[in-house]
Each structure stands twice: as C-alpha cells, then as structure tokens.
Amino acid sequence: MRGIARVYWRLLGAGFRRQSTYRLAAVGGVVANATFGLLKVAVLVATVHAAGGELAGYDVGRMSTYIWLSQAMLGSLNLNGRTDIAERIKDGRVAVDFLRPLDVRAAEIVTEVGRSMFALIPRGIPMLVIGVFVGMVPPGSLAAYPLGAGSLLLGIVISVGTAYLVGVAGFWLVETRGLQVFYMVISGFLAGLFVPIGLFPRWLLVIAEATPFPSMMMYPIDVLAGRVDLAGALGLLAVQVGWLVGVAGLGQVLTRAGRRRLEVQGGCGADSRPSADPATALSDGARLPGAVPDVLPVELRARPGELAAGGVGRAGRGLGALPRGDPARRSGVPPDPARVRPGRPGLLGRRPGRRSL
C-alpha cells in the first residue's frame, strides 16, 4: 500500500514538473487571463452599477472578487475536455498502459492534477495580485481560507475526472473532438466562468446545479470569497465530495468496459521479423504493435522442417533455396552456404521492400 502511494506521489510530481517546462505558455496565459479579467470587470461592474449597486447579492467588491478568483482558477481547471488518454486510445498506446501494474484512470487523473497544481503558481497568483488593486475584497472569516483551499482541490480533481470521461469515450467513438468541443461550451458556462450562476434564471440554475460543473469553479469561489457561512461552506464541500465519488465511479466503469472492447491492430514491416512471444498479445483480444498477425504472407510460411532448422541459414537464405531433392530439405539440417543457389530468397530472406505485412 505504501509503495503504491509512493508511485502516485511520483506521478503527481511528474505532472507538476512536466507543466513547469512550458514557461512561455504560462506567460501567455497570464496575459490572456489579465486581459479577459479586465474586460469582465468593465462589463460586470457596469452591470452592477446599472442595477443600483447590487445584483443578486453581488456588490462591486464581491463581483470583483468573483472575477479575479475565477481568472486565477481558470488555468488549473480542465474546462476544454482535452486529455492525453484520448490520444493514447486513438493511437493504441493505451494497450501499454493496461499492462502496467497501476490503475489507468487513477494514474491519468493524478498526473493531470499535478499539472493543474503548477498552473496555480504562474497563472493564479498574478491574478490575485491584480485583483487586490482592482477592488477585490478578502473574506470576512479566517475559516474561508482552509475550507476554500480544500474546495479548490476538490474542484480541480472533479474537472480532471469529468474531462477523463470525455477521453474514454474514444473506446466507442472514432473521433472525440466533437464531444470535446461540446464539453468546452457547456462546462465553462455552467461552471460560472462567464457570469455567476446566481444570475441565472431559476430554471437554468436548477439545470446547472444538477451537473458537476458548478463544483469545479463556482462553489470554490463562493467558499473562498466568504459568500457562505461555515454551514454553507461545509454543505458545498459535501456536494463536491458526492460529485467526486460519482465521477470517479463512472470513470472506473467506463475504463473497464472500454478495456473489454479495446482492439489494437499491430504488425511488422517487410524487413522485420514478427514476434512469436505470446506475452505481446493482450488477454482481452487486443494486440500490441509487433504482435504476430493472424494471417502471414506466403513468403513467411514455412514447412515444419524449415522452422525446426531455424528458417534462415548463415548465408541469409533458407532451406527453400536448396535444390529439390537435397537431403537437407527433408532432414531439417541447416544448409551449407556453399550449396545454396544464389539469387533465390528463402524464408525471411526476401529483399526489403518487396512485400509488407
């Protein structure tokens, strides 16, 4: 148990270090977040002033707090639906993941959470600094800080777990980009990225609360901003935990079902010999790249005596290159290179490029 925990801890660190290599992307993210944050300030603060100084419980200070907290969290939440697991399913590399002594779903989520944790540093902290100078107000209770940190972590894991569900749809779909675009459109809106969900009409608010999206962004913002008391914060945390359990369970079910459905077609080139190692074939019917194909070309088929003799002689030509009636063809003894007729390829002795699997 301790060894497994150490492995996942290293995966978390690996995801953190992987994301830290994209420094210019982090700088570009800061510029984009700051730009759109200032645009949201101009629009939403003007809306609050037009409403008489308060709108659905948001005054200018609370609206500014919402804006800059949402911009700080944006880089750490997966609201676009893009995941590595979708690419690995598409190109067949997921077959190797299933051979590893780790849970595929847990390993993917832990690695992505590590990447999201790093994004809080270069993209989250600058947004909070800007927000302090643009009207952001701190929460009124010190309990909002630890509860908000826990809510933020739950929101990150829920966003990664939900995006994982989009990725594993690749077990049944040829292309998942359309589903990713649909996820990106509805997730940002229902999570409260553009406006607080408290401004939604009642029917739309009910729909949003019936999805895991508010648990990704809106609920952590409400806890961090101090818009709810201690009992309300604990209630929001309980809702987040419930969604986390549901998303994780569904991800596990889909992963197991997808593994049973998985079929990866493999083979070898004309100048490479197929592997006869049964360990290269998956137990669920999938084949790894390099596995023995079910049907071999004519030139790779051999008589039992030829296979027993090793197929290819020292001169690079097999028993099939010997003259007819030669005793070596019947006995299976490797031929003398001097007795092999030149210019006639034998088993696996064809020149590269003639035929391929």
Side-chain angles (χ1 to χ4, degrees):
M1 185 65 181
R2 184 176 302 177
I4 295 296
R6 187 182 300 112
V7 171
Y8 286 120
W9 176 257
R10 290 182 178 179
L11 287 175
L12 184 70
F16 188 93
R17 291 190 300 272
R18 175 184 175 184
Q19 192 66 22
S20 66
T21 60
Y22 303 103
R23 297 182 179 88
L24 291 180
V27 173
V30 170
V31 175
N33 284 11
T35 301
F36 284 100
L38 294 174
L39 290 176
K40 289 171 68 176
V41 167
V43 174
L44 294 179
V45 171
T47 303
V48 172
H49 285 303
E54 184 174 345
L55 178 63
Y58 287 91
D59 55 14
V60 174
R62 288 184 173 180
M63 186 62 76
S64 180
T65 302
Y66 153 77
I67 292 171
W68 293 109
L69 284 177
S70 63
Q71 293 302 110
M73 295 171 56
L74 181 58
S76 299
L77 300 178
N78 192 333
L79 298 178
N80 52 37
R82 291 194 295 267
T83 57
D84 290 342
I85 190 67
E87 295 297 326
R88 293 204 299 272
I89 293 174
K90 185 176 180 180
D91 59 25
R93 287 178 296 161
V94 71
V96 180
D97 296 337
F98 283 131
L99 294 177
R100 296 186 176 120
L102 287 177
D103 183 77
V104 174
R105 176 192 56 84
E108 174 75 11
I109 291 177
V110 168
T111 305
E112 291 296 324
V113 169
R115 299 178 63 179
S116 299
M117 296 294 289
F118 173 80
L120 286 174
I121 300 174
R123 298 184 63 175
I125 295 177
M127 297 301 103
L128 297 180
V129 173
I130 295 175
V132 170
F133 292 98
V134 185
M136 183 175 172
V137 296
S141 173
L142 294 177
Y145 293 101
L147 292 176
S151 180
L152 174 60
L153 179 60
L154 288 172
I156 291 174
V157 178
I158 293 172
S159 71
V160 173
T162 308
Y164 176 84
L165 300 180
V166 178
V168 296
F171 285 122
W172 294 270
L173 301 178
V174 177
E175 183 59 65
T176 60
R177 283 181 294 183
L179 186 61
Q180 290 174 4
V181 172
F182 177 74
Y183 174 88
M184 180 175 59
V185 171
I186 65 171
S187 64
F189 182 70
L190 297 180
L193 175 61
F194 307 113
V195 296
I197 64 173
L199 304 184
F200 289 175
R202 181 61 184 174
W203 63 271
L204 186 56
L205 179 61
V206 171
I207 294 177
E209 291 178 343
T211 67
F213 301 117
S215 296
M216 302 176 188
M217 176 174 283
M218 198 68 245
Y219 294 166
I221 291 176
D222 287 342
V223 177
L224 284 169
R227 294 194 68 248
V228 292
D229 56 11
L230 180 59
L234 293 176
L236 293 180
L237 286 171
V239 172
Q240 287 182 290
V241 171
W243 277 115
L244 177 60
V245 173
V247 168
L250 182 58
Q252 187 70 10
V253 171
L254 292 179
T255 302
R256 292 180 178 179
R259 179 173 183 172
R260 290 192 296 269
R261 182 181 176 83
L262 177 65
E263 181 178 352
V264 180
Q265 300 295 334
C268 59
D271 55 348
S272 61
R273 187 172 183 175
S275 173
D277 185 3
T280 58
L282 296 183
S283 59
D284 292 328
R287 293 187 182 274
L288 293 176
V292 181
D294 294 331
V295 180
L296 292 178
V298 176
E299 66 266 28
L300 295 185
R301 298 174 186 169
R303 299 179 180 87
E306 295 175 343
L307 291 178
V312 180
R314 288 174 293 175
R317 289 173 170 81
L319 298 174
L322 293 174
R324 293 184 179 180
D326 194 291
R329 295 175 63 101
R330 296 189 298 270
S331 64
V333 178
D336 185 355
R339 298 165 55 200
V340 178
R341 291 199 302 264
R344 182 180 177 184
L347 179 64
L348 292 179
R350 298 182 65 91
R351 297 182 180 87
R354 290 291 184 88
R355 289 186 66 176
S356 60
L357 296 180

